[in-house]
């Protein structure tokens, strides 16, 4: 097991970063978020030309047969760009749910011809996988609602987990609600005796845990962009006849933030190298907070411009704050560590 | 040299030297066999091998007589790398062997009452007198000076040039006339530190380390190694200070509260990501690509040690203290003492070896490339600095 990046991962990073620099600069994301946030053209290129959609899918099922490490690197880059593409929702969460079934749909997802979403609230967690869903199955028909579903608006297929089974449902409208994260809107999915094809069994908690492991890489990318952009700004911005980055009040905050990001990188790599319950809980408990802190520090240290719509830092703040809730809050993951790391609570103790 | 070859060397060494025999003889022989610090050159206790192979040697020799890493800490962690980098062949041969075996203990004569974070402003004078130097001044926070044979000493040799340029580095003979070591009692009750008064101390020129006027550069080597030595953390999940706290936590369910539980879980996560970061740093070193991560390790551990030891005192609800006796300690017995001692001693972690504030400056300027604060003292001769 290694916490370093492999050469293959660095090459993958370079191609994703080059494409995003060209097609998805922050200004372009900002321009589209209010009309049509998800960039499906960009997604087609990422999936078709770089092959990111099939990274986690074995070669015999039409994918690239890569691992979580490669997917993590892609997410770092997507996080750095707050890229509005359904990689995490389709190529990670939905794909991970489908993998044990070896369903033929995997081949279509790998090619990027179709996109799927897991019909589970983005606010659900490995510890409470059913949060936000009232879906039940009756004679092969599915009814109920799921709130806060990420990626549902652009999905061709919804994968609906019900009582340990996974159903593929098509042609269901997802109603997008105004979302805190402009670059990854969530939707309400309503099923009314919808016809579902049972594709196999589904361990939803394990699927969400895997998603949480990879979300830590995206959070790392968000934090890195915020730190780097802020560093560049405080070197440029002059007040009192010197760059504000020369004041210790600013430098010390950025040194602390850098240290948090360094540790977030170690946590993210550990979670993809060993996606055990402990590693994932540690990575989420740490990285979710680091991404939020980095975005909040970026906003504050940009001063007035950081508070404007025209500067992209708010896209990162909104992504970070939503991602903090997604797949379990840092508090949920810390509470899970009480038993995972044998740090039992005060049950039976006296106050 | 690879792992198999090192193992073979250790095996041959053990055939020829009985670990059950005289301790000192065994350690001297180990040094002479190049198995002291394998990354050092041959003839100086090493084999010119990769530093990571030291772990192999330590594993293979785990059941043999060991050196005292605590008492010898300054010698091993700071004096030795500096002597290796700047010493003459003669100095390396004279000092490194007894330093490693522990026959000669070392201390560090850097800080002064008027020069702490701004070490380069130090005022201990060394004036040349033929083949000798005469040293006058006062040093402070000198751990272990009371049992040290040698000290690494930075002095002012030219007060007429700006502060960074007029310094010279020496090995100080702690038994020379004019060296007076006085205990400095600390908030823990004991005296692990000292004040060292140097009055007309005569040091021969062959005790000089590096060129005259090049003392700052030599001192930088020592300081970088000091931070690495202080920043080295636990490699095991839940190890180090965390282990002490967790043991108490598990043994005393009656003392747990919800608030403490939440805080402990947060600290556990922070300790774990810091440990992972250290593991990643070690991997980078093995791969030959040291990253800047190292600069932050001491900062992280200072914070964690302080938070955890403070937590430990609060958790125990013990209003007592194990021992206030004013005594001279051999080394920092961090884990052999009570939570109150650990809490008080850990306060030093963010001061010794570069304060956390100075370390943040270093990270900001050298890693993040942020501009330095305007400096008023850079081009002023040392003697004209306001003080």
């Amino acid at each position: 097991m290694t916490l370093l990046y492999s050469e293959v991962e660095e090459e993958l990073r370079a191609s994703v970063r080059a494409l995003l620099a060209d097609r998805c600069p922050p200004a372009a994301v900002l321009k589209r978020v209010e009309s049509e946030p998800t960039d499906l053209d960009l997604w087609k290129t990422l999936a078709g030309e770089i092959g990111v959609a099939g990274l986690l899918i074995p070669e015999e099922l039409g994918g690239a047969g890569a691992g979580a490490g490669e997917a993590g690197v892609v997410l770092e880059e997507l996080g750095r760009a707050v890229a509005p593409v359904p990689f995490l929702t389709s190529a990670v969460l939905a794909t991970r749910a489908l993998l044990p079934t070896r369903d033929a749909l995997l081949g279509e997802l790998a090619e990027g011809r179709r996109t799927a979403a897991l019909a589970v609230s983005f606010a659900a967690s490995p510890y409470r996988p059913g949060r936000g869903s009232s879906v039940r199955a009756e004679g092969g028909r599915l009814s109920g609602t799921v709130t806060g579903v990420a990626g549902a608006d652009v999905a061709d297929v919804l994968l609906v987990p019900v009582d340990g089974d996974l159903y593929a449902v098509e042609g269901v409208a997802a109603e997008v609600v105004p979302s805190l994260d402009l670059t990854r809107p969530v939707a309400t999915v309503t099923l009314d005796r919808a016809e579902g094809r049972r594709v196999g069994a589904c361990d939803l908690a394990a699927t969400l845990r895997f998603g949480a492991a990879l979300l830590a890489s995206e959070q790392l990318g968000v934090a890195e962009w915020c730190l780097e952009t802020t560093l560049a700004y405080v070197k440029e911005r002059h007040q009192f006849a010197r760059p504000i980055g020369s004041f210790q009040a600013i430098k010390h905050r950025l040194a602390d933030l850098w240290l948090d990001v360094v540790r977030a990188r170690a946590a993210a790599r550990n979670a993809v190298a060993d996606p055990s319950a402990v590693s994932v809980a540690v990575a989420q408990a740490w990285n979710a907070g680091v991404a939020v802190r980095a975005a909040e520090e970026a906003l504050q240290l940009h001063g007035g411009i950081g508070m404007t719509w025209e500067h992209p830092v708010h896209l990162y703040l909104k992504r970070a704050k939503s991602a903090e809730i997604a797949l379990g809050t840092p508090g949920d993951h810390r509470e899970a560590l009480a038993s995972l790391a044998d740090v039992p609570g005060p049950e039976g103790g006296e106050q | 040299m690879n792992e198999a070859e090192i193992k073979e060397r250790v095996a041959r060494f053990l055939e020829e030297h009985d670990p059950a025999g005289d301790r000192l003889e065994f350690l001297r022989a180990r040094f002479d066999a190049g198995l002291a610090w394998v990354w050092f050159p041959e003839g100086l206790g090493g084999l010119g091998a990769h530093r990571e192979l030291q772990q192999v040697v330590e594993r293979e020799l785990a059941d043999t007589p060991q050196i005292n890493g605590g008492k010898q800490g300054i010698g091993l962690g700071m004096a030795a790398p500096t002597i290796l980098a700047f010493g003459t062949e003669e100095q390396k041969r004279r000092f490194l062997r007894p330093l490693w075996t522990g026959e000669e203990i070392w201390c560090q004569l850097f800080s002064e009452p008027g020069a702490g974070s701004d070490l380069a402003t130090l005022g201990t004078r060394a004036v040349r007198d033929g083949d000798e130097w005469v040293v006058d001044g006062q040093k402070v926070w000198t751990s272990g000076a009371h049992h040290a044979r040698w000290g690494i000493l930075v002095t002012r040799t030219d007060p007429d040039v700006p502060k960074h340029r007029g310094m010279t580095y020496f090995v100080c003979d702690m038994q020379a006339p004019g060296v007076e070591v006085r205990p400095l009692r600390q908030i823990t009750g004991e005296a692990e530190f000292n004040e060292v008064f140097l009055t007309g101390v005569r040091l021969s020129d062959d005790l000089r380390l590096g060129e005259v006027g090049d003392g700052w550069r030599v001192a930088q080597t020592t300081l970088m190694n000091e931070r690495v030595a202080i920043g080295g953390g636990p490699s095991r999940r839940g190890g180090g200070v965390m282990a002490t706290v967790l043991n108490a936590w598990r043994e005393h369910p009656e003392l747990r509260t919800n608030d403490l539980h939440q805080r402990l879980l947060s600290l556990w996560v922070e300790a774990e990501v810091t440990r992972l970061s250290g593991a990643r740093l070690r991997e980078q070193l093995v791969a030959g690509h040291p990253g800047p991560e190292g600069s932050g390790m001491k900062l992280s551990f200072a914070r964690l040690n302080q938070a955890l030891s403070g937590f430990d005192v609060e958790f125990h609800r013990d209003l007592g203290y194990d021992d206030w006796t004013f005594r001279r300690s051999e080394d920092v017995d961090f884990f052999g003492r009570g939570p109150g001692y650990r809490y008080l001693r850990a306060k030093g972690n963010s001061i010794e070896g570069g304060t956390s504030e100075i370390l943040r400056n270093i990270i900001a300027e050298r890693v993040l490339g942020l501009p330095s604060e305007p400096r008023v003292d850079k081009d002023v001769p040392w003697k004209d600095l306001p003080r």
Side-chain angles (χ1 to χ4, degrees):
Chain A
M1 191 182 112
T2 174
L3 299 176
L4 303 181
Y5 298 103
S6 70
E7 269 178 47
V8 173
E9 286 167 349
E10 290 295 5
E11 281 166 23
L12 178 61
R13 178 198 303 288
S15 19
V16 175
R17 186 176 289 193
L19 178 70
L20 293 175
D22 181 37
R23 299 267 299 273
C24 187
V29 179
L30 198 51
K31 209 164 157 186
R32 67 180 309 139
V33 283
E34 286 177 281
S35 50
E36 196 187 341
T38 309
D39 189 343
L40 289 174
D41 286 339
L42 175 65
W43 176 238
K44 279 204 184 81
T45 313
L46 273 166
E49 286 177 20
I50 302 183
V52 301
L55 278 178
L56 295 170
I57 298 169
E59 287 178 37
E60 69 270 20
L61 296 175
E70 284 88 347
V73 168
V74 171
L75 276 164
E76 286 179 30
E77 294 306 311
L78 295 176
R80 288 174 71 100
V82 278
V85 293
F87 180 80
L88 181 67
T89 50
S90 181
V92 175
L93 279 169
T95 296
R96 174 64 181 76
L98 264 183
L99 274 176
T101 71
R102 301 179 69 83
D103 193 82
L105 179 56
L106 284 164
E108 297 178 62
L109 296 184
E111 287 170 21
R113 275 193 286 139
R114 305 182 84 197
T115 298
L118 191 62
V120 171
S121 170
F122 207 35
S125 72
Y127 323 110
R128 275 192 64 184
R131 184 193 296 272
S133 172
S134 66
V135 179
R136 62 206 179 275
E138 282 166 15
R141 301 238 165 206
L142 308 176
S143 299
T145 58
V146 194
T147 55
V149 183
D153 53 325
V154 291
D156 306 305
V157 188
L158 284 178
L159 297 174
V160 188
V162 189
D163 301 330
D165 290 318
L166 191 66
Y167 296 86
V169 182
E170 295 182 43
V172 174
E175 187 200 343
V176 175
V177 298
S179 309
L180 177 62
D181 183 356
L182 293 158
T183 56
R184 186 158 55 208
V186 291
T188 300
V189 170
T190 307
L191 302 167
D192 184 12
R193 296 187 53 74
E195 206 172 321
R197 175 175 69 87
R198 185 185 176 279
V199 286
C202 177
D203 182 345
L204 186 55
T207 303
L208 296 177
R209 176 168 295 122
F210 184 76
L214 281 158
L215 179 60
S217 288
E218 187 191 281
Q219 287 159 333
L220 168 63
V222 168
E224 281 183 339
W225 183 91
C226 292
L227 176 61
E228 284 169 24
T229 304
T230 307
L231 282 171
Y233 181 73
V234 301
K235 289 175 193 174
E236 290 277 312
R237 170 75 175 170
H238 280 63
Q239 290 287 275
F240 306 99
R242 47 193 266 220
I244 60 169
S246 66
F247 290 98
Q248 289 192 3
I250 308 267
K251 287 158 98 162
H252 287 191
R253 285 168 74 154
L254 289 168
D256 284 337
L257 186 59
W258 171 79
L259 196 50
D260 286 348
V261 173
V262 162
R263 292 182 285 182
R265 188 175 301 116
R269 291 320 283 175
N270 188 54
V272 293
D274 158 42
S276 66
V278 174
S279 304
V280 174
V282 166
Q284 274 302 309
W286 184 258
N287 288 25
V290 172
V292 171
R293 198 148 57 244
E296 290 177 350
E297 287 291 81
L299 195 154
Q300 173 67 19
L301 297 179
H302 275 79
I305 188 84
M307 201 59 201
T308 65
W309 190 271
E310 70 178 273
H311 194 283
V313 71
H314 67 98
L315 299 177
Y316 290 82
L317 178 68
K318 292 162 187 172
R319 168 68 70 89
K321 198 63 190 169
S322 296
E324 185 185 42
I325 296 162
L327 305 173
T329 64
D332 295 338
H333 292 284
R334 278 196 297 272
E335 274 176 25
L337 283 166
S339 56
L340 293 170
D342 188 22
V343 187
E347 293 82 16
E350 48 185 270
Q351 296 266 337
Chain B
M1 179 111 7
N2 60 31
E3 186 167 341
E5 286 165 342
I6 289 266
K7 278 188 176 165
E8 199 198 307
R9 261 188 193 253
V10 175
R12 248 187 295 141
F13 171 74
L14 284 174
E15 275 168 26
E16 290 163 19
H17 299 90
D18 179 11
D22 184 69
R23 176 181 173 274
L24 198 53
E25 285 304 319
F26 183 84
L27 290 175
R28 285 175 179 159
R30 180 176 162 184
F31 184 93
D32 295 337
L35 298 171
W37 30 36
V38 296
W39 68 97
F40 271 50
E42 286 190 46
L44 296 174
L47 298 167
H50 204 286
R51 188 170 185 146
E52 290 306 311
L53 290 171
Q54 183 69 23
Q55 291 170 13
V56 179
V57 176
E58 297 302 337
R59 263 201 311 274
E60 298 291 306
L61 293 177
D63 299 325
T64 66
Q66 299 293 311
I67 57 173
N68 183 343
K71 199 173 168 187
Q72 292 174 242
I74 287 167
L76 296 166
M78 291 163 239
T82 313
I83 292 168
L84 184 66
F86 290 95
T88 61
E89 286 311 307
E90 206 183 315
Q91 287 170 332
K92 290 179 202 171
R93 279 183 205 292
R94 164 65 189 86
F95 292 122
L96 290 175
R97 190 171 184 254
L99 181 158
W100 188 83
T101 60
E103 289 165 79
E104 292 179 347
I105 299 300
W106 288 67
C107 65
Q108 180 190 12
L109 302 162
F110 276 32
S111 292
E112 297 179 3
S117 289
D118 182 14
L119 179 67
T121 203
L122 60 85
T124 290
R125 287 296 312 275
V127 179
R128 190 153 198 158
D129 180 21
D131 283 345
E132 289 186 324
W133 295 81
V134 182
V135 182
D136 285 278
Q138 184 195 344
K139 296 289 179 176
V140 75
W141 316 129
T142 316
S143 315
H146 48 293
H147 48 233
R149 173 68 187 83
W150 303 103
I152 41 178
L153 168 71
V154 197
T155 65
R156 172 88 28 214
T157 42
D158 186 353
D160 298 321
V161 294
K163 62 181 185 180
H164 289 97
R165 285 192 256 143
M167 283 180 277
T168 303
Y169 198 117
F170 292 95
V171 170
C172 180
D173 180 354
M174 296 299 285
Q175 293 172 354
V179 176
E180 189 198 345
V181 177
R182 292 187 203 161
L184 193 58
R185 195 177 188 193
Q186 293 149 239
I187 61 171
T188 52
E190 67 185 347
E192 156 206 339
F193 297 155
N194 300 277
E195 297 177 285
V196 177
F197 293 83
L198 304 164
T199 314
V201 177
R202 300 190 81 85
L203 300 176
S204 66
D205 189 53
D206 57 18
L207 289 175
R208 174 166 49 80
L209 216 52
E211 298 302 313
V212 174
D214 205 24
W216 182 245
R217 200 163 64 93
V218 185
Q220 286 303 304
T221 301
T222 309
L223 293 174
M224 289 315 287
N225 279 290
E226 176 175 31
R227 281 162 202 157
V228 171
I230 293 177
S235 53
R236 194 169 54 82
R237 177 180 279 164
V241 190
M242 179 54 84
T244 311
V245 175
L246 283 178
N247 286 341
W249 179 267
R250 287 167 187 152
E251 278 167 26
H252 296 284
E254 76 284 2
L255 293 176
R256 298 176 199 154
T257 67
N258 284 317
D259 166 63
L260 287 168
H261 190 222
Q262 297 305 316
R263 285 154 57 197
L264 181 55
L265 287 168
S266 288
L267 286 167
W268 193 92
V269 169
E270 186 178 341
E272 175 63 2
V273 296
T274 306
R275 183 190 71 85
L276 288 169
S277 198
R280 190 162 190 275
L281 177 67
R282 276 190 290 276
E283 267 199 84
Q284 288 175 314
L285 289 171
V286 176
H289 310 293
E293 276 89 344
S295 317
M297 293 311 279
K298 179 184 177 270
L299 197 53
S300 310
F301 284 114
R303 203 203 92 75
L304 271 170
N305 280 352
Q306 292 176 349
L308 281 167
S309 58
F311 178 94
D312 208 11
V313 173
E314 188 182 339
F315 171 69
H316 279 94
R317 298 190 189 224
D318 179 0
L319 297 171
Y321 185 77
D322 60 359
D323 185 5
W324 290 119
T325 309
F326 179 17
R327 59 194 159 102
R328 307 290 262 148
S329 39
E330 283 278 292
D331 50 37
V332 184
D333 186 16
F334 201 70
F335 295 106
R337 298 280 305 262
Y341 172 85
R342 279 192 291 279
Y343 169 69
L344 295 173
R345 181 59 188 83
K347 289 287 152 230
N349 292 166
S350 52
I351 301 168
E352 59 203 354
T355 65
S356 291
E357 288 69 27
I358 290 290
L359 293 179
R360 286 188 183 96
N361 281 352
I362 290 172
I363 290 169
E365 290 171 23
R366 301 199 196 149
V367 179
L368 304 180
L370 291 171
S372 57
E373 297 249 356
R375 294 281 294 268
V376 295
D377 58 351
K378 241 170 149 169
D379 303 313
V380 182
W382 177 83
K383 64 176 169 47
D384 299 329
L385 288 174
R387 51 174 67 83

